[in-house]
Structure formats: structure tokens, C-alpha cells
Amino acid sequence: MAVDVAVATPAPEPMPVVEVVDDSGVAGSSARREYERRKAKDEARTREKWGRFGGLAVALSDEKQSTKAWAIGAVGEEKLGARLDGLAGDQIAVLHDRRIPKSRANIDHIVITRGGVWVIDAKRYKGRPRLVIEGGFLRPRVEKVYVGSRDGTPLVDGVIKQVGLVRGVVPEVRVNGVLCFVEADWPLIGGSFTSRGVMALWPKKLMAMLREDEGTIDVASTRQVLAGVFKAT
């Protein structure tokens, strides 16, 4: 008589755990770290100066403007970063806080669309951004950017440099430079302008331009190349 012998079925091997690393970066992270570093340094100096009353002195002291500026900048980058993340998908890729190789400087945001690459510097300045043109017939033409009474011309120089670095990595792709003033006093109608190829505008206008930037670029591969060179801070 045949006897059925139960054969134990081996348990399936567990699937290997694959760690997914998000290299998109965190908007404002380097500015936030610099603020915390400066704040701690300022507080340590105050405590050392006042001894046993150091804690009280810290509590009553105002932050140095040069220290507070880093926190203000970090908030601007974080706010714009959140809006850019809302656009991210198959057609738009977003990279935040990217380190420039061999430098302590960073690029606030890099956005890759089907139409091109956008290098974006976020600024949280008060006042109205405007373009002032000096010179002309008898003197060389000079473009200056102001935000209220603040001379923002060096900001344009910085974006131009960043655009050149990104263009060197993806020379076949159109690279746009943007100064995005997050909380500036923009007029109800118009107000955006371009200085030496760098666009100055506000978040809502930037979002619309990114959505409408159509083309044939392979977003995923372009993102991979840029993320490999300009790594998250």
C-alpha cells in the first residue's frame, strides 16, 4: 500500500531590504546650519563675558543682524523649496541646496524641466525689486538691481556664475538663471525683469514658467548627472 509522504515546502527567502536614498536635498539646510553655528558662537561669547549672569544676558540680548540674516535666508529657501516640491514629478525634477565642487558656496535650487535647467537663488528681502540702468551715450551702459534701497547687483553676478558652472556640466541643455524674491513688494501688475540674462521674479510667476517649460529633455538622466556633480550639502 502506497504511503503519502508529506514534503515540507521550504519557506520563501525574505526579499532583500533595499534602502532608497533620496538625494534631492533639503531646502535651506546649509543656511539653517550656519545660523545655528553662529547663534551658538554668539551665545558662548556672551556667557563667557557675563560669567554667572551669562544665561540672563543671553536671554536679554538681541541676535546680531549678521547672524539673524542666515535664519531669514533659510526661511526664504524653505518656503520656495516647498512650492517647488509641489511641482516635482516625471516631468519636473527638483534639487535643493547643492554644493558647488571645490567651494563652500552652494546653489539654492536646481529645477529640471522638459525644456531646460533652472538655477534658482531664493532671497527673502523686503522692498521692491527694480532694474536701474545707468550710463548710455557717453558712458558705458551699466545695469544695477535694487531691492528697496539695497543694492542687489552682486546677486546677479552670483547667479551668472552658478549658471556657468551648471552649463559646463550639461552644455547641450538650456540653462536659465533666476533670482526669486520670496517676500518682496512686487507691484500688482508687471514688475519682473531680466538683468544680464538673469530673471528677477516672484514665486507664483516662477511656478507658472516652470509648468509651461516644454521640450524634449530627458528629465531623469539630466537630474542624475547634475545630482552627481552638485551634491546635497
Side-chain angles (χ1 to χ4, degrees), residues 142-155:
V142 177
E143 293 184 0
K144 291 187 176 182
V145 173
Y146 286 89
V147 185
S149 60
R150 183 174 187 168
D151 186 357
T153 307
L155 301 177

Side-chain angles (χ1 to χ4, degrees), residues 87-94 111-116 210-211 213-220:
L87 299 179
D90 293 338
Q91 303 298 309
I92 298 179
V94 180
V111 178
I112 303 98
T113 67
R114 294 282 289 170
L210 293 173
R211 291 190 191 96
D213 194 26
E214 298 292 338
T216 58
I217 291 173
D218 185 326
V219 173

Side-chain angles (χ1 to χ4, degrees), residues 70-135:
W70 286 94
I72 293 172
V75 171
E77 293 179 39
E78 290 161 358
K79 285 186 174 182
L80 183 59
R83 299 192 67 164
L84 292 172
D85 285 339
L87 299 179
D90 293 338
Q91 303 298 309
I92 298 179
V94 180
L95 300 171
H96 301 297
D97 214 337
R98 315 310 292 190
R99 182 180 294 109
I100 296 175
K102 301 179 181 179
S103 170
R104 295 181 63 186
N106 71 294
I107 300 175
D108 291 348
H109 313 281
I110 299 176
V111 178
I112 303 98
T113 67
R114 294 282 289 170
V117 174
W118 298 68
V119 175
I120 304 166
D121 192 7
K123 294 300 176 189
R124 190 183 173 207
Y125 290 176
K126 300 296 184 181
R128 176 158 297 182
R130 67 189 192 280
L131 176 64
V132 176
I133 299 176
E134 299 179 352

Side-chain angles (χ1 to χ4, degrees), residues 37-230:
R37 186 189 71 81
R38 289 176 177 244
K39 180 182 178 183
K41 187 176 181 180
D42 294 342
E43 290 183 357
R45 286 178 175 173
T46 301
R47 291 179 187 277
E48 182 179 359
K49 178 181 178 180
W50 291 96
R52 58 185 292 195
F53 300 106
L56 179 61
V58 168
L60 296 176
S61 298
D62 292 330
E63 285 187 329
K64 293 170 60 176
Q65 185 59 40
S66 56
T67 298
K68 189 184 299 183
W70 286 94
I72 293 172
V75 171
E77 293 179 39
E78 290 161 358
K79 285 186 174 182
L80 183 59
R83 299 192 67 164
L84 292 172
D85 285 339
L87 299 179
D90 293 338
Q91 303 298 309
I92 298 179
V94 180
L95 300 171
H96 301 297
D97 214 337
R98 315 310 292 190
R99 182 180 294 109
I100 296 175
K102 301 179 181 179
S103 170
R104 295 181 63 186
N106 71 294
I107 300 175
D108 291 348
H109 313 281
I110 299 176
V111 178
I112 303 98
T113 67
R114 294 282 289 170
V117 174
W118 298 68
V119 175
I120 304 166
D121 192 7
K123 294 300 176 189
R124 190 183 173 207
Y125 290 176
K126 300 296 184 181
R128 176 158 297 182
R130 67 189 192 280
L131 176 64
V132 176
I133 299 176
E134 299 179 352
F137 296 105
L138 301 178
R139 293 183 298 159
R141 185 180 186 276
V142 177
E143 293 184 0
K144 291 187 176 182
V145 173
Y146 286 89
V147 185
S149 60
R150 183 174 187 168
D151 186 357
T153 307
L155 301 177
V156 179
D157 298 328
V159 174
I160 290 173
K161 181 178 180 180
Q162 293 176 4
V163 167
L165 293 171
V166 172
R167 187 175 286 135
V169 177
V170 286
E172 72 284 358
V173 176
R174 169 173 54 83
V175 182
N176 308 289
V178 176
L179 273 171
C180 188
F181 294 100
V182 177
E183 295 180 0
D185 177 27
W186 291 100
L188 294 177
I189 300 176
S192 63
F193 56 87
T194 299
S195 177
R196 289 180 287 154
V198 175
M199 292 174 275
L201 39 70
W202 54 94
K204 185 175 181 180
K205 185 175 181 66
L206 174 60
M207 299 303 114
M209 295 181 72
L210 293 173
R211 291 190 191 96
E212 296 167 1
D213 194 26
E214 298 292 338
T216 58
I217 291 173
D218 185 326
V219 173
S221 62
T222 303
R223 178 201 183 282
Q224 184 176 9
V225 170
L226 290 171
V229 175
F230 302 99

